[in-house]
Amino acid sequence: MSSPSVFRCIACADLSAAASQDFRCASCGDLLEITYPSWTQSKPDRARLKAVWRDRRASSRAVDLSGVWRFRELLPAIEADQRVITLREGNTPLYELPQCSRITGVAALFAKHQGMNPTGSFKDAGMTVAATFAKHAGFHWVACASTGNTSASMAAYAARGGMRSLVLVPAGKISWSKLSQALDYGAVTCQLRTDFDGCLELLQQLVRRARVYQLNSINPFRLEGQKTLAIELLEQLDWQPPDHIIVPGGNLGNSSAIGKALVEMLHLGLIPRLPRLSVIQAEGANPLVRSLREAAGKRLISVSPETRATAIRIGNPASWKKAANVLEASGGACEQVSEVEIAQAKAEIGAEGIGCEPASAVTLAGLKRLLKQGFVKPGETVVLVLTGSLLKDPDYTMDFHRGDLFEGTGDQQASNGLNSLRHPPIALDANLDAIIRTLEQAEES
Ligand code: F0G
């Protein structure tokens, strides 16, 4: 039932059966995407697809247990005897957010939590596909530039697939949790004295010189895997599209992948209409916001990125054109949020008993802005895509609760309004009365 696929250039629409190592168009140099020519002549039977995907949840085969490969009819074909590299990614929960509903006034508010993937972020959905194709193509080395999550995920899938991995990360600008994952999974990890954009630039040069397979989201196989987030979400909503899906924007691969999935699902008749897909960036790392506002999306305005949400500390996003296209196709918005708004939203999502990393919390902060502008209405259904686990950045969380997050920054005063959300650890003597007093004080507060 899988469909044959080809590469298509997003700018000149050139089609090719194979792609070069940098995944750029041989004619014009722009990015490639994967497309399924047979869908224009005969579309897969949608009722059958939905039934097959549902039935696979009861299967015990690894390829069916994966929440990515379960949807393999919408992915590049794997051969019958080809083993997929899987850690049982996908199948992530869709949570209701009752407290955030009260805060925002949006009654139907959900979180699709991609932090519940095996390495704690949405990257796993793309990595299972791209790593499988790397292995199939006979590569021994895979590599990526990363703000942390891609490298953790790549290192895990490379190890599972018996490949070596090379990680390029900006020195001092990624969380220890993410870095420690790459180390434990056996990656060769280089901390470069540059930012993410500098790491990505060097990786692109490297793959032209060495036989190394690049696993950044420039790799279109990654985006095919990440598409399944949206397919699974729609399945969870009984194929009734929400009004809005809100996603963080960094290198802009994930928003591109979700948008591609939505457009494909509409084309295949799996959904009756497109939800609006909106992208939120941190104010200090806002190249897409600026490009859309100041250049009508015609050219990229790069920035020198700065944000404590280090996962999205990116100033020159590779997939900006793909993201701009899907925003336009779905009628979505692009907004930016401040560091204080991010910290508040992260604490509010934490208070739901769910939690996420700072980059994911921009979605809730962005929703509040979109509500104020009237772009989102309280009566509409909204899904926030939470991209990474709370455990990915414990330093941020500890700094927030101790009141240190904004120390020495211009945001210190503004952040005082968040005191009621802070729960710092309390140092006590090992004394029962002291504990009971603390309990009583907490009850009164
Ligand atoms: N949220 C988290 C937790 C991320 O790790 C990233 C990107 C994003 C959002 C943004 O997604 O780049 O597809 O727009 N992290 C990459 C990395 C860049 O290297 O881990 P995007």
mmCIF file of all heavy atoms in Angstrom, residues 121-123 145-151 178 196 216-217 226 248-255 311-312 314 357 359-360 387-388, ligand 1:
data_model
loop_
_atom_site.group_PDB
_atom_site.id
_atom_site.type_symbol
_atom_site.label_atom_id
_atom_site.label_comp_id
_atom_site.label_asym_id
_atom_site.label_seq_id
_atom_site.Cartn_x
_atom_site.Cartn_y
_atom_site.Cartn_z
ATOM 1 N N SER A 121 11.688 14.144 22.855
ATOM 2 C CA SER A 121 11.293 15.251 21.982
ATOM 3 C C SER A 121 10.683 14.740 20.690
ATOM 4 O O SER A 121 10.783 13.553 20.361
ATOM 5 C CB SER A 121 12.475 16.171 21.650
ATOM 6 O OG SER A 121 13.205 15.663 20.550
ATOM 7 N N PHE A 122 10.083 15.685 19.946
ATOM 8 C CA PHE A 122 9.423 15.370 18.664
ATOM 9 C C PHE A 122 10.391 14.863 17.617
ATOM 10 O O PHE A 122 9.979 14.337 16.580
ATOM 11 C CB PHE A 122 8.686 16.612 18.146
ATOM 12 C CG PHE A 122 9.590 17.717 17.648
ATOM 13 C CD1 PHE A 122 9.814 17.891 16.289
ATOM 14 C CD2 PHE A 122 10.211 18.578 18.525
ATOM 15 C CE1 PHE A 122 10.634 18.911 15.826
ATOM 16 C CE2 PHE A 122 11.038 19.598 18.074
ATOM 17 C CZ PHE A 122 11.254 19.766 16.726
ATOM 18 N N LYS A 123 11.678 15.044 17.843
ATOM 19 C CA LYS A 123 12.667 14.680 16.810
ATOM 20 C C LYS A 123 12.614 13.198 16.475
ATOM 21 O O LYS A 123 12.961 12.798 15.372
ATOM 22 C CB LYS A 123 14.080 15.032 17.281
ATOM 23 C CG LYS A 123 14.252 16.463 17.729
ATOM 24 C CD LYS A 123 14.221 17.426 16.569
ATOM 25 C CE LYS A 123 14.453 18.848 17.072
ATOM 26 N NZ LYS A 123 14.452 19.836 16.018
ATOM 27 N N ALA A 145 23.828 19.151 13.080
ATOM 28 C CA ALA A 145 24.056 20.330 13.920
ATOM 29 C C ALA A 145 22.826 20.405 14.810
ATOM 30 O O ALA A 145 21.742 20.029 14.380
ATOM 31 C CB ALA A 145 24.156 21.575 13.064
ATOM 32 N N SER A 146 22.977 20.898 16.042
ATOM 33 C CA SER A 146 21.810 20.823 16.911
ATOM 34 C C SER A 146 21.835 21.827 18.057
ATOM 35 O O SER A 146 22.896 22.233 18.526
ATOM 36 C CB SER A 146 21.711 19.412 17.496
ATOM 37 O OG SER A 146 20.549 19.273 18.283
ATOM 38 N N THR A 147 20.630 22.208 18.485
ATOM 39 C CA THR A 147 20.492 22.919 19.755
ATOM 40 C C THR A 147 20.240 21.903 20.881
ATOM 41 O O THR A 147 19.907 22.285 21.990
ATOM 42 C CB THR A 147 19.342 23.954 19.700
ATOM 43 O OG1 THR A 147 18.129 23.273 19.325
ATOM 44 C CG2 THR A 147 19.627 25.057 18.699
ATOM 45 N N GLY A 148 20.365 20.623 20.578
ATOM 46 C CA GLY A 148 20.336 19.607 21.636
ATOM 47 C C GLY A 148 19.428 18.428 21.386
ATOM 48 O O GLY A 148 19.823 17.276 21.529
ATOM 49 N N ASN A 149 18.185 18.684 21.012
ATOM 50 C CA ASN A 149 17.245 17.568 20.864
ATOM 51 C C ASN A 149 17.521 16.703 19.637
ATOM 52 O O ASN A 149 17.423 15.474 19.706
ATOM 53 C CB ASN A 149 15.804 18.094 20.809
ATOM 54 C CG ASN A 149 15.283 18.426 22.186
ATOM 55 O OD1 ASN A 149 15.623 17.742 23.157
ATOM 56 N ND2 ASN A 149 14.485 19.471 22.298
ATOM 57 N N THR A 150 17.853 17.339 18.528
ATOM 58 C CA THR A 150 18.167 16.551 17.328
ATOM 59 C C THR A 150 19.343 15.634 17.617
ATOM 60 O O THR A 150 19.346 14.455 17.236
ATOM 61 C CB THR A 150 18.507 17.479 16.145
ATOM 62 O OG1 THR A 150 17.378 18.303 15.884
ATOM 63 C CG2 THR A 150 18.832 16.683 14.885
ATOM 64 N N SER A 151 20.357 16.166 18.299
ATOM 65 C CA SER A 151 21.559 15.359 18.546
ATOM 66 C C SER A 151 21.243 14.184 19.471
ATOM 67 O O SER A 151 21.716 13.063 19.241
ATOM 68 C CB SER A 151 22.693 16.219 19.119
ATOM 69 O OG SER A 151 22.257 16.974 20.211
ATOM 70 N N LYS A 178 20.332 17.355 27.377
ATOM 71 C CA LYS A 178 20.370 16.939 25.964
ATOM 72 C C LYS A 178 21.774 16.475 25.594
ATOM 73 O O LYS A 178 21.950 15.461 24.909
ATOM 74 C CB LYS A 178 19.934 18.103 25.079
ATOM 75 C CG LYS A 178 18.522 18.589 25.377
ATOM 76 C CD LYS A 178 18.188 19.850 24.596
ATOM 77 C CE LYS A 178 16.846 20.405 25.051
ATOM 78 N NZ LYS A 178 16.468 21.630 24.348
ATOM 79 N N PHE A 196 24.133 27.873 16.698
ATOM 80 C CA PHE A 196 23.534 26.771 15.915
ATOM 81 C C PHE A 196 23.713 27.006 14.411
ATOM 82 O O PHE A 196 24.060 26.090 13.660
ATOM 83 C CB PHE A 196 22.039 26.632 16.239
ATOM 84 C CG PHE A 196 21.318 25.719 15.276
ATOM 85 C CD1 PHE A 196 21.349 24.341 15.442
ATOM 86 C CD2 PHE A 196 20.634 26.243 14.177
ATOM 87 C CE1 PHE A 196 20.705 23.491 14.539
ATOM 88 C CE2 PHE A 196 19.982 25.400 13.271
ATOM 89 C CZ PHE A 196 20.023 24.028 13.456
ATOM 90 N N ASN A 216 19.885 16.614 9.763
ATOM 91 C CA ASN A 216 19.105 17.809 10.131
ATOM 92 C C ASN A 216 17.788 17.818 9.373
ATOM 93 O O ASN A 216 17.587 17.021 8.462
ATOM 94 C CB ASN A 216 19.904 19.082 9.836
ATOM 95 C CG ASN A 216 20.805 19.420 10.990
ATOM 96 O OD1 ASN A 216 21.967 19.036 10.993
ATOM 97 N ND2 ASN A 216 20.256 20.075 11.996
ATOM 98 N N SER A 217 16.917 18.763 9.734
ATOM 99 C CA SER A 217 15.589 18.746 9.102
ATOM 100 C C SER A 217 15.628 19.255 7.663
ATOM 101 O O SER A 217 14.589 19.283 6.990
ATOM 102 C CB SER A 217 14.577 19.510 9.954
ATOM 103 O OG SER A 217 15.028 20.807 10.205
ATOM 104 N N GLN A 226 8.092 13.399 10.695
ATOM 105 C CA GLN A 226 7.454 14.368 11.593
ATOM 106 C C GLN A 226 6.018 14.688 11.171
ATOM 107 O O GLN A 226 5.221 15.156 11.991
ATOM 108 C CB GLN A 226 8.317 15.632 11.704
ATOM 109 C CG GLN A 226 9.546 15.370 12.572
ATOM 110 C CD GLN A 226 10.559 16.506 12.614
ATOM 111 O OE1 GLN A 226 11.756 16.255 12.695
ATOM 112 N NE2 GLN A 226 10.109 17.746 12.568
ATOM 113 N N PRO A 248 5.928 25.741 18.079
ATOM 114 C CA PRO A 248 7.098 26.625 18.180
ATOM 115 C C PRO A 248 7.895 26.623 16.881
ATOM 116 O O PRO A 248 7.884 25.629 16.161
ATOM 117 C CB PRO A 248 7.955 25.986 19.288
ATOM 118 C CG PRO A 248 7.208 24.819 19.805
ATOM 119 C CD PRO A 248 6.091 24.508 18.870
ATOM 120 N N GLY A 249 8.598 27.700 16.620
ATOM 121 C CA GLY A 249 9.419 27.780 15.405
ATOM 122 C C GLY A 249 10.877 28.032 15.727
ATOM 123 O O GLY A 249 11.214 28.989 16.417
ATOM 124 N N GLY A 250 11.760 27.147 15.244
ATOM 125 C CA GLY A 250 13.209 27.322 15.382
ATOM 126 C C GLY A 250 13.829 27.280 14.002
ATOM 127 O O GLY A 250 13.857 28.278 13.283
ATOM 128 N N ASN A 251 14.283 26.078 13.600
ATOM 129 C CA ASN A 251 14.815 25.913 12.247
ATOM 130 C C ASN A 251 13.668 25.740 11.240
ATOM 131 O O ASN A 251 13.884 25.632 10.059
ATOM 132 C CB ASN A 251 15.757 24.697 12.219
ATOM 133 C CG ASN A 251 16.867 24.857 11.206
ATOM 134 O OD1 ASN A 251 17.199 25.975 10.797
ATOM 135 N ND2 ASN A 251 17.440 23.759 10.770
ATOM 136 N N LEU A 252 12.454 25.640 11.752
ATOM 137 C CA LEU A 252 11.191 25.657 10.998
ATOM 138 C C LEU A 252 10.914 24.386 10.195
ATOM 139 O O LEU A 252 10.111 24.393 9.256
ATOM 140 C CB LEU A 252 11.112 26.915 10.109
ATOM 141 C CG LEU A 252 11.127 28.220 10.934
ATOM 142 C CD1 LEU A 252 11.251 29.442 10.032
ATOM 143 C CD2 LEU A 252 9.870 28.330 11.789
ATOM 144 N N GLY A 253 11.555 23.284 10.603
ATOM 145 C CA GLY A 253 11.263 21.997 9.979
ATOM 146 C C GLY A 253 9.942 21.439 10.458
ATOM 147 O O GLY A 253 9.144 20.927 9.664
ATOM 148 N N ASN A 254 9.670 21.537 11.756
ATOM 149 C CA ASN A 254 8.478 20.890 12.300
ATOM 150 C C ASN A 254 7.195 21.538 11.787
ATOM 151 O O ASN A 254 6.258 20.843 11.393
ATOM 152 C CB ASN A 254 8.508 20.918 13.833
ATOM 153 C CG ASN A 254 7.696 19.798 14.451
ATOM 154 O OD1 ASN A 254 7.568 18.728 13.855
ATOM 155 N ND2 ASN A 254 7.141 20.034 15.617
ATOM 156 N N SER A 255 7.161 22.868 11.771
ATOM 157 C CA SER A 255 5.962 23.541 11.247
ATOM 158 C C SER A 255 5.768 23.166 9.778
ATOM 159 O O SER A 255 4.638 22.925 9.336
ATOM 160 C CB SER A 255 6.074 25.057 11.415
ATOM 161 O OG SER A 255 7.387 25.499 11.168
ATOM 162 N N ALA A 311 16.483 25.694 22.743
ATOM 163 C CA ALA A 311 16.142 24.810 21.619
ATOM 164 C C ALA A 311 15.806 25.610 20.370
ATOM 165 O O ALA A 311 16.011 25.136 19.258
ATOM 166 C CB ALA A 311 14.953 23.923 21.998
ATOM 167 N N ILE A 312 15.281 26.818 20.546
ATOM 168 C CA ILE A 312 14.868 27.624 19.382
ATOM 169 C C ILE A 312 15.736 28.881 19.254
ATOM 170 O O ILE A 312 15.301 29.896 18.716
ATOM 171 C CB ILE A 312 13.361 27.981 19.434
ATOM 172 C CG1 ILE A 312 12.971 28.576 20.794
ATOM 173 C CG2 ILE A 312 12.521 26.738 19.143
ATOM 174 C CD1 ILE A 312 11.543 29.119 20.841
ATOM 175 N N ILE A 314 17.786 30.221 17.227
ATOM 176 C CA ILE A 314 18.186 30.053 15.828
ATOM 177 C C ILE A 314 17.859 31.341 15.073
ATOM 178 O O ILE A 314 16.734 31.845 15.158
ATOM 179 C CB ILE A 314 17.440 28.842 15.205
ATOM 180 C CG1 ILE A 314 17.903 27.554 15.903
ATOM 181 C CG2 ILE A 314 17.670 28.759 13.694
ATOM 182 C CD1 ILE A 314 17.149 26.306 15.502
ATOM 183 N N GLU A 357 9.505 21.697 27.958
ATOM 184 C CA GLU A 357 10.687 22.543 28.001
ATOM 185 C C GLU A 357 10.334 23.952 27.525
ATOM 186 O O GLU A 357 9.267 24.156 26.931
ATOM 187 C CB GLU A 357 11.838 21.910 27.226
ATOM 188 C CG GLU A 357 11.677 21.799 25.732
ATOM 189 C CD GLU A 357 13.010 21.425 25.077
ATOM 190 O OE1 GLU A 357 13.907 22.296 24.955
ATOM 191 O OE2 GLU A 357 13.150 20.265 24.702
ATOM 192 N N ALA A 359 11.082 25.945 25.112
ATOM 193 C CA ALA A 359 10.733 26.187 23.696
ATOM 194 C C ALA A 359 9.294 25.777 23.410
ATOM 195 O O ALA A 359 8.630 26.388 22.572
ATOM 196 C CB ALA A 359 11.688 25.423 22.783
ATOM 197 N N SER A 360 8.815 24.744 24.087
ATOM 198 C CA SER A 360 7.440 24.278 23.844
ATOM 199 C C SER A 360 6.421 25.259 24.417
ATOM 200 O O SER A 360 5.305 25.386 23.897
ATOM 201 C CB SER A 360 7.222 22.918 24.511
ATOM 202 O OG SER A 360 8.225 22.004 24.157
ATOM 203 N N THR A 387 6.766 20.285 22.255
ATOM 204 C CA THR A 387 7.803 19.594 21.468
ATOM 205 C C THR A 387 8.823 18.832 22.308
ATOM 206 O O THR A 387 9.476 17.924 21.804
ATOM 207 C CB THR A 387 8.528 20.642 20.609
ATOM 208 O OG1 THR A 387 8.784 21.785 21.448
ATOM 209 C CG2 THR A 387 7.705 21.049 19.409
ATOM 210 N N GLY A 388 8.977 19.217 23.588
ATOM 211 C CA GLY A 388 10.015 18.572 24.396
ATOM 212 C C GLY A 388 9.599 18.413 25.845
ATOM 213 O O GLY A 388 8.764 19.168 26.371
HETATM 214 N N1 F0G B 1 10.995 22.761 20.276
HETATM 215 C C1 F0G B 1 12.060 22.049 20.646
HETATM 216 C C2 F0G B 1 12.039 21.393 21.984
HETATM 217 C C3 F0G B 1 13.163 21.902 19.766
HETATM 218 O O1 F0G B 1 14.203 21.160 20.141
HETATM 219 C C4 F0G B 1 13.144 22.561 18.518
HETATM 220 C C5 F0G B 1 14.270 22.467 17.602
HETATM 221 C C6 F0G B 1 11.991 23.299 18.192
HETATM 222 C C7 F0G B 1 10.942 23.376 19.092
HETATM 223 C C8 F0G B 1 11.861 23.985 16.900
HETATM 224 O O2 F0G B 1 11.590 23.088 15.867
HETATM 225 O O3 F0G B 1 13.529 23.628 14.423
HETATM 226 O O4 F0G B 1 11.622 22.264 13.582
HETATM 227 O O5 F0G B 1 11.331 24.703 14.041
HETATM 228 N N2 F0G B 1 15.353 21.907 17.863
HETATM 229 C C9 F0G B 1 16.436 21.637 16.903
HETATM 230 C C10 F0G B 1 17.526 20.807 17.525
HETATM 231 C C11 F0G B 1 16.875 22.797 16.123
HETATM 232 O O6 F0G B 1 18.679 20.860 17.067
HETATM 233 O O7 F0G B 1 17.247 20.067 18.472
HETATM 234 P P1 F0G B 1 12.048 23.432 14.387
#
